[in-house]
Amino acid sequence: MMHGGGGTRFSRVSGEVSGAFGDLGTFLPHVLGVISVAGLKPGGIFTLFGIFYFFTGLFYRLPIPVQPMKVASAAIVTGKVTPPEIAGASIMIGATLVVLGLTGVIGVIARSIPRSVVSGIQLGLGAGLAVLGLKMVQHNLLIGCLTLLVMLPVGFNRRLPQAITGVAVGVLAGLVLGGFPPMQHMAPSLQLPHLVFPGWGDIWRGTISIGLPQLALTLTNAVIVTSTLAEHFFPENRRVAPFTLALTQGGANLLSGVLGGIPMCHGAGGLASHHRFGARTGAVGVLLGTSFLAIGLFFADPALAFLKLIPEGTLGALLFYGALDLAIGGWAPASRWDIVVAVVVALLAFFVNPALAVVVGVAFFRFTPGSRPPG
């Protein structure tokens, strides 16, 4: 339907722009953390995210997100790994995903997991992200609660850019309450990514400390659950599948590993956030990719200072609303037994580990009296 002409076009454009802000609650804390704590160069990191986002938007033509890998960024922030070990982990993760995608093994894994187990993983991960969002709100309680309250009614009107509204309110409140920081020098300064050559020891240590723990979460959340959620949001989609998600993430991490970036992935939470705040096409990837490329190549330092103006409480509010969509997206239990399985899996994913939750959930589904073949 094209009734409304300009109004419809405006709502679509504003939805894509708002959707671009939707995943900041997940993206910024991890990226700012690895830059400020580990001392990694912001120019290279933003450039590589820009390349991956731009390619993702053109290839999938849907709002598929690009995020820092959570286990990896946590290890980096806590100082457990060195830059060459980060590069080694990225190379190992990238090579593994490419092999799993090209051989079709990733599809076999995905087909062996019942839908109720996937729903449970979504519910558990969504609950975990929602709790994390509320904890971030507590760090700037007044600003965070204000952002949550303002975003709530805006969310019921899909023509209004909910995420942009939340960011604007948070930044304005932060400036009013905390004062205006000095302006950064905005002259462009070219910063190119630099080559990194990890040794075999770096690859081994990066694999043990980051690669193996991260792969379990990546296969669950960034491949299987993201594919399922994309099928729910975009039934006509033909490109987002486990093997394509494995290949695009694999290629991105191989590139990131040799150019001084950090491990990157897609993610169900990011997809839910982009969709929740209005994104419906790959334009969000092109928009963010172009922006990150410009930041990384020419304006890394002043852009970093600007992004730090967004209060943590506001990022928490964005993360909270996106997490709710992840938790309930595609939730369609076919029987009471599906509900039982999903709840058990969600509890394990929330309190223990998503990868363990998948293993236990599949066994629980298949080898108990209430089980039935996946439909």
Side-chain angles (χ1 to χ4, degrees):
M1 296 291 289
M2 293 299 294
H3 300 299
T8 300
R9 285 193 294 272
F10 174 78
S11 64
R12 288 176 179 172
V13 172
S14 65
E16 297 296 330
V17 175
S18 179
F21 283 81
D23 198 29
L24 290 181
T26 300
F27 180 86
L28 280 185
H30 291 277
V31 170
L32 295 178
V34 300
I35 291 173
S36 59
V37 175
L40 298 178
K41 298 294 185 182
I45 291 178
F46 277 107
T47 296
L48 288 165
F49 272 103
I51 293 171
F52 192 18
Y53 242 129
F54 191 87
F55 171 80
T56 297
L58 291 180
F59 178 75
Y60 289 111
R61 302 175 188 173
L62 294 173
I64 303 300
V66 174
Q67 303 173 327
M69 288 187 172
K70 312 303 180 296
V71 175
S73 61
I76 295 169
V77 168
T78 55
K80 295 181 179 179
V81 291
T82 64
E85 290 168 355
I86 296 168
S90 293
I91 291 171
M92 187 283 296
I93 292 171
T96 302
L97 290 173
V98 168
V99 170
L100 290 176
L102 290 177
T103 59
V105 172
I106 191 64
V108 175
I109 295 174
R111 288 190 295 271
S112 67
I113 301 177
R115 181 59 184 267
S116 57
V117 175
V118 177
S119 295
I121 293 294
Q122 289 181 229
L123 183 60
L125 290 173
L129 288 174
V131 170
L132 176 60
L134 292 178
K135 288 181 179 178
M136 293 168 65
V137 166
Q138 290 179 339
H139 290 168
N140 298 111
L141 189 59
L142 178 59
I143 296 176
C145 289
L146 177 63
T147 308
L148 282 171
L149 289 174
V150 170
M151 290 179 69
L152 180 61
V154 176
F156 290 102
N157 188 337
R158 294 296 185 179
R159 293 188 175 184
L160 296 178
Q162 187 184 27
I164 296 176
T165 302
V167 170
V169 168
V171 171
L172 181 61
L175 292 176
V176 170
L177 296 175
F180 289 79
M183 295 296 294
Q184 295 287 317
H185 184 55
M186 292 296 291
S189 175
L190 180 63
Q191 297 186 33
L192 296 174
H194 60 281
L195 291 174
V196 178
F197 301 100
W200 288 111
D202 298 316
I203 294 176
W204 171 253
R205 288 187 293 273
T207 297
I208 297 301
S209 59
I210 295 178
L212 294 180
Q214 179 64 63
L215 269 175
L217 181 59
T218 298
L219 292 175
T220 304
N221 178 38
V223 175
I224 296 170
V225 181
T226 299
S227 175
T228 301
L229 197 63
E231 181 182 354
H232 167 69
F233 286 149
F234 308 101
E236 74 286 355
N237 156 63
R238 293 295 180 269
R239 291 200 172 193
V240 184
F243 84 94
T244 55
L245 291 172
L247 290 176
T248 54
Q249 290 174 102
N253 281 288
L254 287 173
L255 181 65
S256 181
V258 299
L259 291 179
I262 60 176
M264 299 182 289
C265 65
H266 301 305
L271 173 57
S273 294
H274 283 322
H275 185 274
R276 173 70 179 81
F277 295 119
R280 297 294 183 269
T281 72
V284 68
V286 174
L287 174 62
L288 284 172
T290 304
S291 300
F292 287 158
L293 275 171
I295 289 172
L297 292 174
F298 301 108
F299 298 100
D301 294 327
L304 191 61
F306 174 77
L307 292 174
K308 288 181 178 179
L309 292 178
I310 305 175
E312 188 173 1
T314 296
L315 295 175
L318 293 173
L319 181 58
F320 175 78
Y321 283 116
L324 294 183
D325 264 22
L326 171 61
I328 63 176
W331 175 264
S335 67
R336 292 181 180 178
W337 181 246
D338 282 343
I339 297 176
V340 172
V341 172
V343 170
V344 170
V345 171
L347 291 173
L348 283 172
F350 182 83
F351 288 107
V352 186
N353 179 275
L356 178 64
V358 170
V359 174
V360 174
V362 171
F364 187 51
F365 181 89
R366 297 188 184 280
F367 302 115
T368 50
S371 66
R372 57 179 178 78

